[in-house]
Amino acid sequence: MHEECGVSAVFGSPDAARLVYLSLYALQHRGQEAAGIVTSNGSGMHSKISMGLVGDIFDKPTLDQLTGNHAIGHVRYSTAGGSKIQNCQPIIANTGNGRLAVAHNGNLTNAIQLRKKLEEQGAIFQTTSDTEVVLHLFAKSKETGFVRPLLDALRRLEGAYSFVFITKKGILAARDPYGVRPLSLGRIGKTWVVASETSAFDLIGARYVREVEPGELIDITAKGLESHTIRTTKQKAHCVFEYVYFSRPDSKIFGHNVYEIRREMGRQLAREAPPPPGTDMVIPIPDSASVAAMGYAEESGIRYDMGLIRSHYVGRTFIEPRQSIRDFGAKIKYNAVTEALANKNIVLVDDSIVRGTTSRKLVRMLRRVGVREVHMRISSPPIIDSCFYGIDTPTRKELIAANLPVEKIRAYLGVNSLAYLSEQGMLNSTGMETKDFCTACFTRRYPIKLEKALKHT
Ligand code: AMP
């Protein structure tokens, strides 16, 4: 199962549910299929978990019922059989070690084996999500309290996880030893907050404190914050695709601002694959490529323009008209401005090509309004394989760059030229230690072992 998610948690505020709710708004881009909040008032727990967007699920009466001084929340998007309310999070469990709820961003890479073993021992799973495994491991642990059984459970997991947990006493946050997905810690006065991205902190007026470290379990209760070590590894594997596409540009993740890195990727792309003579303007495929396109324009000295306008009101599903309108799927989301584009030679910047279907449709749209030459520039390398650590990439079969060389992709997209950012160029743009990144979707170098069932299709 491929999942993309965002998580947040708050401890020590009578407005805990509202703070998590606002955080989820700022994390909505990480998952638009379902959302949920669980709160605790020290004895019971309250929850609201539903399919849909954050703004549609929670209203004032719902938030009023989510009482308590601590809360966790989740936004989720998943494909492949996972689109069911039972799979939505946070997941709540009553265990011999107490009541616990969990929200997860990432993908476990040994969940199938662990689940099989647990089922053989009599465990009954209520969801098909890999996250439930951690609750079973926690429940089965012979350790007592919350932290020790949780450490016990976490030490048996492999793969990518940024978890938040809630108990009646407080919240916990954990990050896998490789630090694949982001998770940050912040404060508003005495209140602690945890979120996948710091865009959530900005919205609720929280101050960034630090990252939850790779391999760290943080336990926050009335006694304060305690840090525990799950496991440490020398090697880190931060997902570089978070910087390329997934995170919001206003966020700080892995300790660095996304906007600056994305802009540098654009600049580097311009150095590696400059615009051909006669280029009139650089335009992004909005919104995800806007910052990279700005960097590209800046470095190449060619005017940045819009040209493609994106509607922000298109949900994930829409009803197609009965007679099929050509390229309808792209048209509902984007429109090309004839007045800005006719007779122009353009560099079209996108952050990535996955299947190639969107770009192909957009290029046709651009041709229809009279664009002369389209030179496509991609601010990341060709995506040649799937992600098993929490980004929704399709199977190898569907990934255009896994199947075609660049020249054939160029022909398929119908562009005059096509160039991608190099792997080294992408990594150098981060300004960080380049060995600390996971680049598996671009390189097939998977830093964390995959169980057999996850191997490629
Ligand atoms: P495609 O038509 O499949 O090539 O889609 C490429 C577009 O999808 C690019 O413009 C990206 O911004 C966007 N994209 C890349 N990765 C993802 C993802 N994991 N989920 C949703 N959209 C993505």
Side-chain angles (χ1 to χ4, degrees), residues 36 43 143 151 183 213 224 252 260 306-307 365 372 413 424:
S43 52
E143 300 281 356
L151 283 170
L183 196 62
E213 294 297 330
K252 189 201 282 281
E260 285 304 317
M306 287 297 288
M365 189 184 281
R372 258 189 304 190
L413 300 180
Q424 208 51 49

Side-chain angles (χ1 to χ4, degrees), residues 421-440:
L421 182 61
S422 66
E423 183 200 347
Q424 208 51 49
M426 169 180 72
L427 291 174
N428 289 345
S429 302
T430 65
M432 295 162 65
E433 192 64 70
T434 59
K435 68 169 181 35
D436 283 347
F437 282 101
C438 173
T439 58

Side-chain angles (χ1 to χ4, degrees), residues 4 241 245 288 350-359 391-392:
E4 295 181 334
F241 204 67
Y245 165 79
S288 54
D350 204 356
D351 54 88
S352 55
I353 298 178
V354 183
R355 294 180 179 84
T357 47
T358 316
S359 342
I391 294 281
D392 172 43

Side-chain angles (χ1 to χ4, degrees), residues 144-252:
T144 52
F146 277 106
V147 169
R148 286 199 304 190
L150 202 49
L151 283 170
D152 212 16
L154 294 169
R155 285 178 183 141
R156 299 186 55 192
L157 304 181
E158 278 165 27
Y161 56 81
S162 284
F163 281 124
V164 290
F165 300 91
I166 186 167
T167 68
K168 63 179 187 211
K169 281 193 182 160
I171 57 167
L172 300 107
R175 199 158 162 231
D176 67 76
Y178 291 87
V180 179
R181 298 277 144 240
L183 196 62
S184 293
L185 181 69
R187 277 206 113 161
I188 321 169
K190 290 207 161 118
T191 302
W192 287 104
V193 295
V194 175
S196 295
E197 294 184 33
T198 60
S199 53
F201 295 172
D202 296 340
L203 179 59
I204 60 178
R207 172 175 60 83
Y208 173 77
V209 175
R210 64 174 176 89
E211 282 192 275
V212 175
E213 294 297 330
E216 185 184 25
L217 170 69
I218 289 181
D219 175 30
I220 305 173
T221 61
K223 283 193 266 171
L225 181 148
E226 268 180 31
S227 168
H228 303 267
T229 303
I230 305 164
R231 192 151 34 92
T232 50
T233 57
K234 270 209 195 100
Q235 195 200 341
K236 301 291 167 270
H238 305 315
C239 168
V240 74
F241 204 67
E242 292 272 356
Y243 285 134
V244 168
Y245 165 79
F246 199 37
S247 290
R248 256 170 66 155
D250 51 333
S251 286
K252 189 201 282 281

